[in-house]
């Protein structure tokens, strides 16, 4: 079984457990459910364009950072100009949890992307209830109809949608209601990173689509290359997280761009 199938199999078990413990009604009664969300479409153009990620581990890299404090890192990301913060909420494979979002929600004023494997309507209510603003839809694990339906539900809940694609084939999941398209530079099957592949794919998107280059951006040069090719946003995790102080690494990175 490939890694994505493994993750999805586990995710299905997790979701049915969550459903048995927390009802939809409970989710709707949560403190954050009625809050007005922040728009990543707005902050992407107003700020640096970088969506900085908090990620403890991953299937491709193993442990990345086990000691940093999510609140400290999130505050520094915000202070230094991040357009948004991506928080992995998958625990088994990425070491994340809902508390990471709950802890920072009231402390920062930029959008939070709930980064997880979204395959069931329930998870969108969950995302809203913990204070997320944006959800990730991964085309590799969804049908075009699911993407359409999940996008509608997200919008009803006031969440924006980032659709992640990696192949030309997955473009069939795109629809005009999608808020942002992320092109993953990393192949989720073999973890290879190829920036040019993403540039080629970006050129197939309808003009005016907000595009985000995701993963494997490891230097100012990588960033500048992708920016010069017209990407509007940049999702970066490991480059910051593999340091003892991810916030400081982000601050340094931003200061290099300003020069
Ligand atoms: O740590 P990196 O290489 O900078 O990548 C960040 C982000 O793009 C990556 O975590 C990611 C992109 N798409 C995903 C889907 C699921 C889990 C994780 C991801």
């Amino acid at each position: 079984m490939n890694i994505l199938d493994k993750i999805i199999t586990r995710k299905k078990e997790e979701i049915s457990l969550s459903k048995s413990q927390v009802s939809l009604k409970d989710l709707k009664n949560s403190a954050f459910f009625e809050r007005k969300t922040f728009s990543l479409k707005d902050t992407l153009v107003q700020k640096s364009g970088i969506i900085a990620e908090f990620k403890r581990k991953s299937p491709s890299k193993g442990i990345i950072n086990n000691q940093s404090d999510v609140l400290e890192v999130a505050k520094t990301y915000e202070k230094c100009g991040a357009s948004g913060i991506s928080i992995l909420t998958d625990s088994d494979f990425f070491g994340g949890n809902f508390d990471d979002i709950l802890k920072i929600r009231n402390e920062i004023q930029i959008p939070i992307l709930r980064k997880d494997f979204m395959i069931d309507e329930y998870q969108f209510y969950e995302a809203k209830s913990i204070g997320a603003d944006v959800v990730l839809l991964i085309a590799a694990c969804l049908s075009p109809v699911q993407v359409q339906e999940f996008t509608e539900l997200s919008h009803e809940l006031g969440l924006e949608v980032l659709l992640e694609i990696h192949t030309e084939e997955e473009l069939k999941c795109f629809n005009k209601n999608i808020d942002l398209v992320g092109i993953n530079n990393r192949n989720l099957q073999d973890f290879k990173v190829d920036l040019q592949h993403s540039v080629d794919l970006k050129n197939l998107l309808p003009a005016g689509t907000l595009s985000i280059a995701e993963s494997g951006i490891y230097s100012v040069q990588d960033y500048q290359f992708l920016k010069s090719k017209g990407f509007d946003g940049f999702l970066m995790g490991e480059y910051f997280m593999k340091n003892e102080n991810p916030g400081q690494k982000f601050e340094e990175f931003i200061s290099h761009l300003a020069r």
Side-chain angles (χ1 to χ4, degrees):
M1 217 198 289
N2 71 33
I3 181 70
L4 199 52
D5 292 339
K6 255 190 223 158
I7 295 174
I8 299 302
T9 304
R10 175 70 192 116
K11 192 58 60 183
K12 285 179 183 160
E13 293 167 4
E14 248 175 50
I15 296 168
S16 63
L17 185 66
S18 301
K19 282 181 179 173
S20 71
Q21 290 169 339
V22 185
S23 70
L24 214 51
K25 187 158 169 273
D26 292 337
L27 293 178
K28 289 180 183 171
N29 285 332
S30 79
F32 290 134
F33 201 81
E34 298 297 334
R35 71 178 270 277
K36 183 164 172 7
T37 49
F38 297 110
S39 166
L40 181 59
K41 287 199 280 194
D42 289 348
T43 56
L44 208 56
V45 286
Q46 291 159 355
K47 294 170 181 276
S48 66
I50 298 175
I51 303 160
E53 185 158 278
F54 190 85
K55 175 165 68 172
R56 295 190 179 84
K57 63 173 185 172
S58 74
S60 62
K61 299 293 161 78
I63 303 273
I64 298 167
N65 184 330
N66 234 344
Q67 47 81 36
S68 288
D69 176 63
V70 67
L71 182 57
E72 203 181 306
V73 173
K75 279 186 172 170
T76 315
Y77 282 166
E78 177 184 37
K79 185 185 85 186
C80 299
S83 287
I85 301 191
S86 165
I87 304 274
L88 265 307
T89 54
D90 175 85
S91 86
D92 285 10
F93 298 89
F94 293 89
N97 55 66
F98 292 165
D99 277 347
D100 289 340
I101 296 188
L102 291 165
K103 263 187 221 154
I104 65 171
R105 176 65 287 164
N106 283 334
E107 310 294 327
I108 58 165
Q109 308 297 315
I110 53 174
I112 298 174
L113 166 68
R114 177 192 177 184
K115 178 78 95 60
D116 210 316
F117 298 81
M118 308 294 278
I119 50 170
D120 189 293
E121 281 193 5
Y122 179 88
Q123 295 168 291
F124 295 82
Y125 292 91
E126 221 174 38
K128 186 66 192 291
S129 78
I130 58 175
D133 304 280
V134 189
V135 286
L136 181 74
L137 298 185
I138 303 175
C141 38
L142 300 168
S143 69
V145 173
Q146 278 178 308
V147 170
Q148 182 101 38
E149 288 173 357
F150 290 159
T151 302
E152 278 167 28
L153 174 59
S154 299
H155 288 170
E156 277 166 32
L157 295 170
L159 301 166
E160 284 180 347
V161 169
L162 169 60
L163 175 71
E164 172 176 309
I165 59 170
H166 180 71
T167 64
E168 189 172 344
E169 166 76 7
E170 287 166 12
L171 269 174
K172 66 179 188 303
C173 282
F174 178 80
N175 68 69
K176 62 176 187 354
N177 296 322
I178 301 282
D179 299 289
L180 310 132
V181 175
I183 304 188
N184 201 347
N185 301 314
R186 181 180 296 121
N187 182 324
L188 289 179
Q189 314 290 341
D190 63 12
F191 304 136
K192 279 206 192 93
V193 169
D194 180 353
L195 302 188
Q196 185 58 46
H197 169 82
S198 299
V199 171
D200 296 342
L201 202 48
K202 183 203 174 313
N203 291 333
L204 303 176
L205 293 173
T209 310
L210 282 175
S211 60
I212 297 177
E214 301 180 352
S215 315
I217 305 171
Y218 296 141
S219 66
V220 173
Q221 286 82 346
D222 287 347
Y223 166 92
Q224 275 161 351
F225 169 72
L226 293 161
K227 188 161 179 81
S228 75
K229 299 296 179 187
F231 278 100
D232 304 288
F234 312 87
L235 179 49
M236 298 176 61
E238 192 196 329
Y239 180 77
F240 307 131
M241 286 304 295
K242 71 180 178 204
N243 297 276
E244 211 171 294
N245 189 336
Q248 192 185 356
K249 190 73 184 173
F250 181 71
E251 187 165 14
E252 280 169 30
F253 188 78
I254 288 276
S255 74
H256 283 297
L257 304 185
R259 265 178 224 153

